[in-house]
C-alpha cells in the first residue's frame, strides 16, 4: 500500500522504514529537508510541501501525521485536510488528547475524510521490535488500512500466545487493535501511559528501599527533630542494585520490559549518577488522572505516581514550608538544616 | 497533692508551673542545675539528684518523667525505680513508644510500682491553654492521681460542650482521659500525632495549590519533555495566602487550631521564606503507620502524609533517578535540567 | 441595604434571616411558594417570579442566587440578566465551578452587570455562627456590597485575633475576603473543600486505627492467604472512641470544628451504626484534584482522600477483581471467601 | 549433588522435580505420606521422618525447607538442627521474615550449621520456567550449593542478555544471586513482593478506568449528593478489556509477565466475574512497607497499593462511616443509599 508520512523525527522515520521493509510505499514530508533526504535515500518518495503529498498519492489516500501533539498536529491536520478529498484518511499517530480526536474526527467527517487516531507505543526500540498500536476511528477506514497496521505492529511471534486463544490469532495478538470510535485509540494509549507511570514508580520505590538497606551502618547523630532508626541491626545490607535488577529478569513474578530497561541503565550507570532525578511528565499521565477522577474510579496508585514526579521537580516546596511553619508554631520545632 | 517532676525542659517546667498554680506541690530535678533553680524560684522544691526526689516526697509517691523518649526515659525510669517503694507511681509524660510502656509497666509491677503512660499534647502553648492528656495504666493509680491530671488539663470551659453530653461533664470533657491499660495512653497519643500529620499535609497541599493559581500568567517555554499547562486562562490568580488563612478561621468548615497557627506564621513570614521546607518526622507518625499496617487498616492519607515528609528531605532521590533512567532508556528522553 | 435572594433552601433562607437580623431588607423568590411564605413571615418581601425581584429592588440592584450549581444556576442567572440593568449585580453564592464564573462574568460585563462569585462555607450552622465568604469579582462592585458581606460573615469576635495583626481588623478577620477577579472566590472555596476532604480522611483513618486496636484479642484462623497479625500482644485495647474524640477537643494540637462535629455524632451514635459508609463527593473535591494536576502541584493527600470516597462506594471493584485474577494466575491463590 | 527437601507442597515438589531433572538426588519428607510417595515415584528417595533425612544424606548435608513461614518453618529448622552436624546447611526457601533469618543464622552458627535464606519467585510456573532465587548467607556455603541453585534457576537463555554485560554471564543472569549475609535473600525477596503489589495495582487501576470508559452512556439521576459526570460526551467507549490486555503484550512499554497472566485470566473470565475482589495480602507487602517507613524512604505507591488491598476487604468501613457522620453533621447530607 501507499502511505503519506508527515513528520520524520525518530518515530516517523522509523515507522516509514518499517513500512518500506514490509513492501509498502512511503511518500514523506518534513519541514527539515535533510530529514526527508535521509528517508528518501532508503527508498521513500520525498516531498517539498504538505500539498505535494496529496499529489503523489493515489486516491483513496492515507496520510500518517507524526508531529508533536497539540498545535503542531492541529495545524498539519488542517493543512492536509485542505488538499485531500472525500474518501481519504488522516491518521494521527502522535500523543494527542483523545478529546481533540473527537472534535477533529467530527470536523473532517463533514468533508468525507476519515480521521484515525493511533496510540503508538514502542519508543526508540520500535523500529526493530515493532510498535504496539491502539486504534480509534470508523470501522471501514480502519479495515482499509489494516495492511499498514499489520506491518508496523510486532507480529504474533513477539510473545508466547495466550492460553485459550483460538487457532487463528486475532489482530490484538499481532500487536494492533481497533479499540472503538474516534478517540478510543488515544484513550487506551492514555491509560497505557498512566499505568506506565505506576509501574515505573513501583520499581523506583523498591530500588530506593534496597539502596537504603544499609543505613543501619551509618552513625547518625541523635536529634530530637528526627525519628531515630528503629532497628539499625536490621539495616546492615549493602546490596548490588544492578545485579538485583538482573536477577529479577528471569523467572520472577515482576519481570517486564521496563525492568529490562532498568537493568540496561544500571549496567551503564551503576549508581545512576548520570541522572539528576528531575522527572518530567507528559500529558497522558495527567489526562489519565483526570479521567479517573471524572469517572469516579479510585486510582490512588496512578495518581500518587504522578504526584511523585511533580515532587521530584521541587513543586512540593511551598507545601513543605507550610509544614515546617506549623511545626515551628505549635512545637517550637526548629528546622533541621540541610546537609 | 505532691508530685515529683524529672526533666525541666519547656514541657516539664511548664507542667510544674501549671500544677503549682493550681495549688499542688512540685519536687523537681533536672541534670541542668539552672533549670532547677528557675522553677524553684517560682515555688518548687529543688533536688540535686534523682534519689533526692524520693526522699522529699511522702508515700505514696508520684514522679512525672518528662525527658526524651527512648534511652533517656528508660534510664530515668530505672533509676527512679531503684529508690521508690511499692505503692509509688512513675508517670511517663513523654513521647514513648507504647510497646515500651507495656514492657515497663510489667517490670515495675513486680516491684509494686504503678507505671502510668501519659500522652501529652499542647506544645509550647500548654502552660496557658492546658494540656490534653491521654492516660494509660491501672485504674486505681490513675484514679489516685486524678487531681494532678485535672490541674494540667484545660478544663471543660476550653471548648463548647458537645450536644447530648450529660449535665455533669466527664473527665474527657475536662481534657484528660483514662484510655485503658498500660500503653493505651501513648497508643492514643500516637494515633493523635498520625492524624496531625494528615491534617497538616491537607492544609499544606491546599495552600500550595492556591500559591500556584497564577501559573497561567507565566510564559513557559514549549518543551517536549513537560506537559504544557492545559488551560492557562484558568490560572490567572495572584492570591493573598495570609488573608485566606485568616478568613478560613471564622465560620468555615476547616477552622482548627492548626489553621490558627498557620495564620500566625503567615503574618510573620507571608511567603514562608523563613522556612527551608525540610520537614522532620518524629516517631509517632511512623509508629501510627506501622500500627495501621499491622492492623490491616487502610490509612492511605496518613501514610502518604508521612512519605511526603521523607520526600521533603530529598529521600526520594534514588527513586527519581531510577525513573529518569527508565525514561531515557525507552524514550530517549533527556532530563530537563534544573532551573 | 436591599438584597434580592433567589433560592430559599436551607442556605438561602438562613442567609436572608441573617441579613434581616442585621437590618437589611430582603426581596425573596423561590419556585416553591411555601418557602417564600416562610421567609416573608419573618419580614422579607416576597415575589411570585424572578422578574418581580427586579421590580421590587431599587437600582443599583443586587441579587443573590442560591440554587444548585450547574444548570439551575445558569438558568437563573440568564433569566435575571434579562430583567436587570447596567450597574446591577448578580451574586452567585452556590458551589459553581470557577470556570463557569469566568465565562458568566465576561458575558454579563457586556451588559454592564457585575457578576460576583461567593464561596460560602458554614453548612447548617451558618445562621447562628455566620458564614465564611470567599469573594471573586470586580473591586468596585465588591466594595459596594461590603455591608451585606459583613452582615453574613461571623465577625471578628468569632475567633481570637491572630498575633501580629494590626489594631484595626481587616475584612478577612471578620470572615469575608475579596480574593480576586471573577472566579477567585469559588477557586478559593474549591480548594477549601479539597482541604476539607483531606482533614476528614485524616480523622477517619485515625479513628479506624483506634477502633481496631483490640484485634489482638480475637482468635484468627491461620490462613496461608492472609498476613497473620504480627504482634497480637500489642493490639489488646478496647478504646472508647466517643471519649477520645471528646478529649482531643481541648488542648490538643488536632482540635478543630470538624472534630467537634465528630464528637457530636459519636454521642448520638457511638458505633456510628447509623451510617452505612457510602460517602458521596461533590464537585469541589474533584475540581481541586484537577487543579492540582493541571498546576503540577503534588497533592497526594488530597487526591488520596478523594479516591477513598470512590472506594467507599465500591468503585474499586473491577480493580480488585483484577488483582485477585492475577494472584490466582501466578500463585494459584484462591480468594478467601467473604465473611 | 544431594539435597534434602522438607515440605512437598506445590513449590517443594516442583523444586525436587526440577533438581532431579538436572541430575541431582533428592531425599524428601513431608508429613503427608502420599506427597512423599508421589515424588518418590518420580525418582526421589523418600523418608518417614525428619531424622531420616539426616541419615540418608552424606555430609556435608544440605536440607531445603519449603514449609509455611513463621511457626512451621521455625519448628522444622529446630528439629533438623538437632539431627544435623557441624558443616551441614539448612536452606529456608519459604517466605520467612528476614529478621527471623538473622536470628536463626546466628543460633545455628553456634552449632557450625550454615543457614541459607532463599527468596524463591516463580509461583506455579516455576517447574517449567525456573525459579528466580535471591540468596542470603555465608559466602562459602552459598558457593558450595551453587550447582543446586543453578539447576533451579531459569538459566541465561530465559531472557535476552542485557547490553553491556560481559561475555561470560554472571550468576544473576542465570536467575540466582547471592545478595549478602543472612537475611539478605529474604530482604530482596520482600522488596520484590512489595514492588509486585505496586505493579499489580497499576494494572488493576488502569483496567478499571478502561472498564468505566462508557459511563457517559448511562443516564444518571441528578442528585445533590454526588458529583455529576463532568463530560458525558467523553465517556462513550465500550472497550474490550481482554483484547486490550492482549495488544499491550507486544511492542508496548508496559509488557510484562504480570500482564501476560492478566491476559490469560481475561480469556478465561472476560468480565472477571469469577472473582469476588477480596484481595488477600501476605507478609511481604506489609514488611516492605515497614522497611520503607523505618528507612525513611518515601514509597507512597507501594504503601497505597497495600492499603487498597485492605480496602478491598472492607477494612475501611469504620473510616467511611466516620466520613458520612461528619458530612451529616456539618451539611445535613444524608447518605445516598446503596444500589
Amino acid at each position: 500500500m501507499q502511505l503519506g508520512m508527515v513528520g520524520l523525527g525518530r518515530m516517523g522515520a522509523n515507522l516509514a522504514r518499517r513500512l518500506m521493509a514490509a513492501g509498502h510505499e512511503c511518500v514523506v514530508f518534513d519541514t527539515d529537508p535533510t530529514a526527508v533526504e535521509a528517508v528518501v535515500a532508503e527508498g521513500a518518495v520525498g516531498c517539498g510541501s504538505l500539498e505535494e503529498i496529496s499529489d503523489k498519492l493515489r486516491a483513496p489516500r492515507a496520510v500518517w501525521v507524526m508531529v508533536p501533539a497539540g498545535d503542531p498536529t492541529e495545524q498539519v491536520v488542517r493543512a492536509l485536510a485542505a488538499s485531500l478529498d472525500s474518501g481519504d484518511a488522516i491518521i494521527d499517530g502522535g500523543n494527542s488528547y483523545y478529546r481533540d480526536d473527537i472534535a477533529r474526527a467530527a470536523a473532517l467527517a463533514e468533508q468525507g475524510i476519515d480521521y484515525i487516531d493511533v496510540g503508538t507505543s514502542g519508543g526508540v526500540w520500535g523500529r526493530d521490535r515493532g510498535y504496539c498500536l491502539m486504534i480509534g476511528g470508523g470501522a471501514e477506514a480502519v479495515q482499509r488500512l489494516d495492511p499498514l497496521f499489520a506491518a508496523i505492529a510486532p507480529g504474533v511471534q513477539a510473545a508466547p500466545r495466550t492460553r485459550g486463544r483460538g487457532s487463528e490469532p486475532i489482530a490484538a495478538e499481532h500487536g494492533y487493535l481497533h479499540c472503538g470510535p474516534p478517540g478510543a485509540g488515544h484513550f487506551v494509549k492514555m491509560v497505557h501511559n498512566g499505568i506506565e507511570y505506576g509501574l515505573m514508580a513501583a520499581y523506583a520505590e523498591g530500588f530506593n528501599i534496597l539502596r537504603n538497606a544499609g543505613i543501619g551502618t551509618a552513625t547518625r547523630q541523635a536529634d530530637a527533630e528526627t525519628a531515630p532508626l528503629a532497628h539499625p541491626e536490621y539495616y546492615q545490607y549493602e546490596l548490588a542494585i544492578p545485579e538485583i535488577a538482573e536477577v529479577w529478569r528471569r523467572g520472577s513474578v515482576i519481570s517486564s520490559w521496563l525492568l529490562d530497561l532498568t537493568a540496561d541503565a544500571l549496567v551503564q550507570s551503576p549508581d545512576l549518577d548520570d541522572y539528576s532525578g528531575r522527572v518530567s511528565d507528559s500529558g497522558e499521565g495527567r489526562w489519565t488522572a483526570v479521567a479517573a477522577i471524572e469517572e469516579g474510579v479510585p486510582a490512588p496508585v496512578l495518581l500518587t505516581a504522578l504526584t511523585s514526579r511533580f515532587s521530584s521537580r521541587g513543586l512540593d516546596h511551598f507545601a513543605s514550608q507550610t509544614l515546617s511553619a506549623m511545626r515551628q508554631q505549635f512545637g517550637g520545632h526548629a528546622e533541621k538544616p540541610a546537609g
Side-chain angles (χ1 to χ4, degrees), chain A residues 19-337:
Chain A
L19 284 162
M20 292 188 293
H24 297 289
E25 181 186 345
C26 289
V27 177
V28 304
F29 172 71
D30 193 285
T31 52
D32 174 5
T34 62
V36 175
E37 285 164 27
V39 186
V40 166
E42 299 180 49
V45 176
C47 299
S49 70
L50 270 182
E51 294 71 26
E52 211 179 317
I53 287 193
S54 305
D55 296 340
K56 292 190 170 163
L57 290 171
R58 291 177 299 277
R61 303 174 188 84
V63 185
W64 187 293
V65 179
M66 205 74 206
V67 301
D71 282 350
T73 293
E74 183 69 22
Q75 287 164 21
V76 168
V77 169
R78 286 193 187 181
L80 275 176
S83 65
L84 293 178
D85 297 321
S86 177
D88 292 345
I90 295 175
I91 302 152
D92 175 10
N95 280 323
S96 292
Y97 198 13
Y98 77 98
R99 302 182 183 191
D100 294 337
D101 295 324
I102 294 173
R104 276 179 209 139
L108 292 173
E110 295 179 9
Q111 273 187 262
I113 296 175
D114 290 306
Y115 177 87
I116 311 293
D117 55 285
V118 180
T120 309
S121 183
V124 297
W125 300 88
R127 182 182 172 182
D128 297 326
R129 195 174 174 250
Y131 298 89
C132 178
L133 302 180
M134 295 146 262
I135 306 164
E140 199 181 356
V142 172
Q143 184 56 39
R144 186 170 77 236
L145 302 166
D146 186 86
L148 300 172
F149 299 138
I152 295 169
V156 70
Q157 77 292 343
R161 293 196 67 202
T162 298
R163 290 169 299 155
R165 289 275 172 206
S167 55
E168 186 62 31
I170 60 172
E173 294 185 81
H174 291 278
Y176 65 103
L177 178 66
H178 181 208
C179 298
H186 279 138
F187 187 94
V188 174
K189 174 59 159 53
M190 170 187 84
V191 175
H192 167 282
N193 283 33
I195 292 172
E196 179 190 304
Y197 279 37
L199 301 179
M200 289 171 68
Y203 286 115
E205 291 180 6
F207 281 117
N208 199 8
I209 297 171
L210 295 174
R211 168 85 159 189
N212 286 280
I215 57 165
T217 60
T219 25
R220 302 212 303 180
Q221 208 179 334
D223 170 2
E225 292 308 308
T226 312
L229 180 60
H231 296 291
E233 71 274 22
Y234 294 140
Y235 298 99
Q236 299 283 332
Y237 301 118
E238 296 298 328
L239 301 171
I241 307 294
E243 300 195 27
I244 291 173
E246 188 66 53
V247 80
W248 286 345
R249 296 183 61 230
R250 291 177 181 84
S252 97
V253 170
I254 63 171
S255 61
S256 71
W257 194 55
L258 282 164
L259 181 63
D260 293 347
L261 298 177
T262 308
D264 276 351
L266 285 162
V267 168
Q268 297 160 35
S269 180
D271 293 320
L272 299 181
D273 289 338
D274 295 354
Y275 304 94
S276 71
R278 291 178 58 85
V279 191
S280 296
D281 75 288
S282 52
E284 293 89 351
R286 299 183 178 200
W287 300 332
T288 302
V290 170
I293 291 164
E294 291 189 351
E295 288 184 7
V297 162
V301 160
L302 303 191
L303 296 178
T304 302
L306 177 64
T307 65
S308 292
R309 294 199 174 186
F310 299 161
S311 295
S312 81
R313 304 201 301 268
L315 297 167
D316 54 357
H317 187 55
F318 189 72
S320 298
Q321 289 176 303
T322 306
L323 293 177
S324 283
M326 286 188 201
R327 294 186 81 245
Q328 209 276 333
Q329 291 294 324
F330 70 71
H333 300 287
E335 282 188 314
K336 199 178 170 197

